[in-house]
Amino acid sequence: MTKEEALARFRGLLADKKRYMETFFKVVNKQGEVVPFRMNRAQSHYYERRSNDDKVLKARQIGITTSINTDFAADAFTIPNLAVVVMCQDDDDVPMFMGKYKDLYRRLPEVVDIGGWEFKLKPALGNDSDHLMTFPELGSEIIIGTAGSIKIRRGKTIHRFHGTEVAFWPDSTAIKVMAMV
C-alpha cells in the first residue's frame, strides 16, 4: 500500500465518526471493565437521529450520556477550533464528567498503523484541569462547568453543548443558558 492510499484510508476513518468511535474509544461497562465502545440499540437509535438541537428526555442507564460524550470527544479530538461545553447541575458532577472525557483521551492510541504507515491519532493535550482540556494543535477545547457558571464562553461560539439534569437547574439559569446555545 502506498502512503497516499494509507492516508486516504486514514482520512476516511476520521470522516466516519461512528467507525472512529467504535474503533478507538474504550469505556467502562456496568461490570467495571474497560471495553471497546460499541453502540447499543438506544445509542444507535439516538445517534442516527440526532440533530444540532436535541432535547433528550431519557431513561437512566441506557448509555445516552456515554454516546453523547464519545460523539463530542471524537469531534474535539479531530475538528479544528471546536468548543465543547458540558454544563452539569452541580459542582459534584463536574469531576465525573471531566473524568469521562479524560478517560476517552487517555485510552486513545497515539498512532494508528494503516498498511505499514503510521498516522498520529491523538492530539497533543494543552491545558488539563478539572474544568478544561485544550488541544493546541487543533485549537479545540472541552469545558465542563455548572449551571451556576453561565459565564462559560460568554460571547464565544459553543459548537457542542450538553446540559445535564436541566430539570434541576434554577429556572432563570436554564432560560439564560438555553438562549446562549
Side-chain angles (χ1 to χ4, degrees):
M1 175 178 299
T2 68
K3 186 172 185 176
E4 291 75 26
E5 291 169 330
L7 181 59
R9 284 179 124 175
F10 178 66
R11 287 183 176 148
L13 181 59
L14 295 179
D16 182 348
K17 187 170 22 170
K18 185 175 182 182
R19 190 167 145 221
Y20 170 93
M21 293 185 301
E22 291 189 335
T23 300
F24 299 117
F25 283 161
K26 293 184 179 2
V27 295
V28 176
N29 68 14
K30 291 181 185 195
Q31 292 73 40
E33 304 163 323
V34 176
V35 297
F37 174 70
R38 299 286 183 268
M39 287 190 192
N40 64 31
R41 186 172 168 208
Q43 290 168 327
S44 289
H45 181 84
Y46 169 75
Y47 184 81
E48 291 162 8
R49 291 161 180 79
R50 73 197 192 294
S51 73
N52 290 330
D53 190 29
D54 295 329
K55 282 127 184 112
V56 180
L57 180 61
K58 62 179 186 68
R60 296 188 49 78
Q61 301 298 313
I62 60 171
I64 299 301
T65 297
T66 298
S67 182
I68 292 168
N69 289 346
T70 56
D71 186 6
F72 288 4
D75 289 345
F77 299 164
T78 61
I79 299 175
N81 305 310
L82 186 104
V84 172
V85 174
V86 177
M87 287 196 128
C88 304
Q89 69 274 18
D90 57 47
D91 290 332
D92 294 339
D93 290 328
V94 171
M96 184 269 301
F97 269 89
M98 185 53 85
K100 300 290 184 187
Y101 281 94
K102 287 182 180 191
D103 287 345
L104 289 169
Y105 179 80
R106 184 173 44 84
R107 296 181 186 121
L108 190 67
E110 293 286 337
V111 296
V112 60
D113 183 294
I114 299 175
W117 299 96
E118 286 191 348
F119 298 95
K120 184 177 179 189
L121 186 66
K122 187 183 230 178
L125 182 61
N127 192 316
D128 181 17
S129 72
D130 291 340
H131 296 273
L132 177 67
M133 290 176 74
T134 62
F135 309 98
E137 295 170 350
L138 291 170
S140 296
E141 60 188 358
I142 299 170
I143 303 163
I144 314 284
T146 63
S149 60
I150 63 169
K151 292 181 183 178
I152 289 178
R153 282 204 64 87
R154 186 172 171 208
K156 296 180 182 175
T157 302
I158 296 171
H159 301 96
R160 306 288 184 273
F161 177 80
H162 181 191
T164 70
E165 305 288 348
V166 176
F168 297 103
W169 294 9
D171 288 343
S172 62
T173 300
I175 292 167
K176 288 176 188 173
V177 169
M178 293 307 152
M180 289 171 42
V181 295

